[in-house]
Amino acid sequence: MDQFNQQQIGALSAFVEPDRFSTGQSNREMHTKDISPHQGKLPAGIIWPLTTEETSAILVYTYAQGIPVTPWGAGTSTEGNPLPVMGGLVMDMTRMDRIIAIRPADLQADVQPGVFRKTLNKNAARAGLFFPPDPGADATIGGMIANNASGVQTIKYGATKDYVMRLVVVLPDGRVIHTGGKAHKSSSGYDLTRLFVGSEGTLGVVTEATLKLTGIPVVHLAATVTFETLEAASKTVAVLMGSGLEPAALELLTPELIALMNREKSLGIEEKPSLFCEFHGISEAALKETADLAQELCRDGGAVTFKTGVTEKERRELWRARHEAWETIHRAFPGRETIIVDAAVPISDYPEMVVFSQRQLDEKKALGFVFGHAGDGNLHVVMVGDPSDEREWTALEEINDTIVHRAVELGGTCTGEHGIGIGKRKFMQLEHGEGYDLMKQIKSTIDPKGLMNPGKMFL
Amino acid sequence: MDQFNQQQIGALSAFVEPDRFSTGQSNREMHTKDISPHQGKLPAGIIWPLTTEETSAILVYTYAQGIPVTPWGAGTSTEGNPLPVMGGLVMDMTRMDRIIAIRPADLQADVQPGVFRKTLNKNAARAGLFFPPDPGADATIGGMIANNASGVQTIKYGATKDYVMRLVVVLPDGRVIHTGGKAHKSSSGYDLTRLFVGSEGTLGVVTEATLKLTGIPVVHLAATVTFETLEAASKTVAVLMGSGLEPAALELLTPELIALMNREKSLGIEEKPSLFCEFHGISEAALKETADLAQELCRDGGAVTFKTGVTEKERRELWRARHEAWETIHRAFPGRETIIVDAAVPISDYPEMVVFSQRQLDEKKALGFVFGHAGDGNLHVVMVGDPSDEREWTALEEINDTIVHRAVELGGTCTGEHGIGIGKRKFMQLEHGEGYDLMKQIKSTIDPKGLMNPGKMFL
Ligand SMILES: Cc1cc2nc3c(=O)[nH]c(=O)nc-3n(C[C@H](O)[C@H](O)[C@H](O)COP(=O)(O)OP(=O)(O)OC[C@H]3O[C@@H](n4cnc5c(N)ncnc54)[C@H](O)[C@@H]3O)c2cc1C
Ligand SMILES: Cc1cc2nc3c(=O)[nH]c(=O)nc-3n(C[C@H](O)[C@H](O)[C@H](O)COP(=O)(O)OP(=O)(O)OC[C@H]3O[C@@H](n4cnc5c(N)ncnc54)[C@H](O)[C@@H]3O)c2cc1C
């Protein structure tokens, strides 16, 4: 039995209009799966708040009653981050989806957490601006803040953390706090904003955010570069990153992944170890200069081909294909689940990590695809298997463990962008040591009853 | 009487070699003044640790004995940040000054906290790299981390917070933790690194840091732009910031300050409301394009003159003069002290703040100089007076209060870069509301006895 009962949950219907609280089976089931193999426990109810005040009133109540609360964005996480593992209440933020203001003169936007990033970008584009962090999925701003999401353009533009200036957060007990501010700089007290960014909903619910925006780059140039070996390709990454050319994207792809993408998407890309690059600039002339220098550096690094001159349509397709790598893999092996390695290391160690990871797959004859946000030293291995086949699944878990251990030895992390959720809790002690204890201390200071998104981040 | 006695302090001599512990009067006195008008209480002793282990052993002891400890860098703070207001022990970090490694391939450096930023930059330059945050003074890395220092180039390159990847911190009770890592990205747990950056030594002592470095820009171009009114000058700031031209520096100066600089430094600059700009690029041609566009935008904004083409020597002198603005003011009025306004607001509100602040000085007939890191919306007013003249000093304090209140109303902050220290504690409640309580909660979680840099940040 849970500590709370159905009557306590039912009372929540008094807090919002009827269509914003549900104990219906299908709604509850929909909130037990993200894209990971993890499974949440059926929550007792779902609530969709509209305002900070409502969110606060709900949390005052759940806190008093001892009801676990799990915030929910778009549910596109890869580690079980938004799954209600103790049941309780799921707080779905997607109806709190107002763009409060886009303020072009300040290069800022004020948004509610349920705004989707593509919606924000469509609106910001009218002012010539965009919000750069770009996880493959169309996530909510709240989910991106909670996971500190990033993507292919992070090497130039930064991660979500670099764009959050100010938050309104409702703490587990219903207290409302404002963090940060709208000024570009501040040295005023502890950086509470950054404490909440990346906290995966374990410290409170974000109900409003002020985000930095950036000017949409005037011109783009994409290039695909092939190499004979994965090592040569990955070694060129550090050279390009140190060159001052400031690539806007620098992705590594293995022949195996490209072959799959070609098969599923009829792309017709050469099946060689490759770098997909992009450069942004203020004029065609400046970009041409950049591309020439990049080509020279790639050739020195052993590149076989360096292809630019793709059309805008081809460029978009290339990046769509890259963004959809996970879906493509998933679709190619129906009925299977995936484990996604998300390690990141200093870029000088990236070649070693890439070769090491590919070798793990080869030696263990595991089905998996190596790729990554190479310019950030962020490595993905999407491994495919059947969780009910214990031997196979355990082997994949072991590969994941081996790769993460090596990454941490090199001063890196178990997760460059996806967050800890359920799946990576086992690495927290390894990666953070005594720092992990301090995180637990902070968690229990802010959430002494352990009711906010319980069962995440901490083992 | 203090809770601790001289014998407890004396026992610290057993922790380090004789020349690294002192109870001598002159050493103690030297550690009671930064550049603010505040005065520390004479500490009972000074200790200079060399290693993390030593720092930890000392803090285990002081924690058990209830001795207050105040970390000390170069003592260049403007708000009393490193002053031992309860006496106790000052922990001077300047002998822990080893550059452990500069790792060009990773664009990173590992340093001890007592390294001075100019020393780091001299060494990093050999690899074509630099650490961009540039407060006017030659501060230590530890002091810059603790204050989240920044400077004229922050608009392009970011503040200290943007360059700290990993810390070793000794907590008030002597526990040693590692935060962050060497990978460019991470979404692993709470961002402890950022909790310590800007915490002004109130949560622990930084004993090692991994910093991001950046490539030294290939070409520079400086421009001085004059306007008829302060308003026109400050309105052009937002235009330049939104232009995509990415100025590397964008400083506002008033005629009064320029007149003083001319007098003290024989600079011969036109005494008009002015913007000092700088642009960085990969080629002269690209910069020329940038400068032309900047000139056009400035003319549209009412600029009277737009002067580029200064020599490298002139460029350096211009920035040195700007960096030394505070010293220049201080020297011009010997025997006086200064109150430094450090408010920051969204850039669209910057013109209002500038005009508002100058009007405060004019109306109250106060002696003060308005300038600032305009591209960041960061406004300085250096006010000159005599703290023993209560009427005069109170009037200056009131101007400070009025400006900060206006900045906070506009969504801004009481301190863009100098930190809270002693002087700005009175604004914490105003600026952070309930967030201030959360900061206090965090402080007492990590430092339950309140021994680390007591009397700072919190009233
Ligand atoms: C195909 C695919 C590709 C992807 N590629 C990337 C990638 O390249 N980079 C990357 O970083 N991620 C990637 N992801 C992962 C995912 O998209 C991101 O982690 C995203 O940030 C999740 O946002 P969401 O809105 O789906 O949040 P959810 O998954 O619903 O929730 C994420 C976390 O945020 C919490 N949360 C949600 N809203 C709030 C709120 N308002 N307040 C407090 N906590 C809240 C939840 O409790 C949970 O812990 C990918 C996912 C998919 C499916
Ligand atoms: C002329 C002049 C111009 C300036 N201009 C600027 C400017 O443009 N921008 C700007 O940001 N600042 C500026 N400053 C202020 C000052 O230089 C910065 O705040 C600087 O970061 C202080 O560094 P410091 O080494 O002198 O530290 P200190 O003043 O000695 O100490 C600063 C704080 O850090 C703590 N501390 C020191 N070392 C450690 C450690 N290892 N671990 C934990 N805590 C520690 C201290 O307790 C204190 O709270 C200026 C100062 C002067 C004199």
Side-chain angles (χ1 to χ4, degrees), chain A residues 86-105:
Chain A
M86 295 197 184
L89 183 71
V90 166
M91 189 175 267
D92 186 318
M93 306 306 291
T94 50
R95 295 211 204 156
M96 216 164 149
D97 63 350
R98 217 153 49 79
I99 296 177
I100 300 162
I102 290 178
R103 294 178 282 109

Side-chain angles (χ1 to χ4, degrees), chain B residues 21-201:
Chain B
F21 175 70
S22 168
T23 52
Q25 185 72 9
S26 76
N27 261 324
R28 289 157 64 203
E29 268 170 13
M30 254 163 44
H31 288 88
T32 60
K33 279 296 281 175
D34 59 1
I35 73 156
S36 76
H38 302 285
Q39 177 71 48
K41 181 174 167 185
L42 205 62
I46 317 293
I47 201 159
W48 288 264
L50 277 192
T51 64
T52 300
E53 295 67 35
E54 243 177 40
T55 306
S56 169
I58 295 163
L59 291 182
V60 165
Y61 174 79
T62 53
Y63 191 76
Q65 303 284 324
I67 300 169
V69 178
T70 300
W72 186 281
T76 68
S77 286
T78 67
E79 295 296 338
N81 321 42
L83 306 185
V85 292
M86 295 196 182
L89 184 71
V90 165
M91 189 174 266
D92 186 318
M93 306 306 291
T94 49
R95 295 212 203 156
M96 216 163 151
D97 63 349
R98 217 153 49 79
I99 296 177
I100 300 163
I102 289 178
R103 294 178 282 108
D106 290 327
L107 306 171
Q108 290 174 17
D110 307 312
V111 300
Q112 290 189 325
V115 171
F116 283 77
R117 86 177 163 84
K118 287 188 183 165
T119 312
L120 174 58
N121 277 331
K122 210 171 291 167
N123 283 273
R126 288 188 209 125
L129 299 171
F130 79 121
F131 172 66
D134 57 339
D138 191 12
T140 64
I141 298 300
M144 290 179 67
I145 290 173
N147 284 354
N148 182 27
S150 53
V152 302
Q153 301 193 355
T154 295
I155 51 167
K156 183 180 170 81
Y157 295 99
T160 300
K161 67 182 168 58
D162 300 307
Y163 288 85
V164 184
M165 311 194 57
R166 176 185 152 271
L167 293 175
V168 180
V169 182
V170 185
L171 300 183
D173 61 4
R175 264 190 296 164
V176 178
I177 66 161
H178 293 69
T179 75
K182 295 180 181 174
H184 263 219
K185 302 206 313 193
S186 176
S187 285
S188 180
Y190 303 149
D191 193 341
L192 296 181
T193 306
R194 278 294 279 275
L195 183 61
F196 288 101
V197 174
S199 67
E200 301 186 20

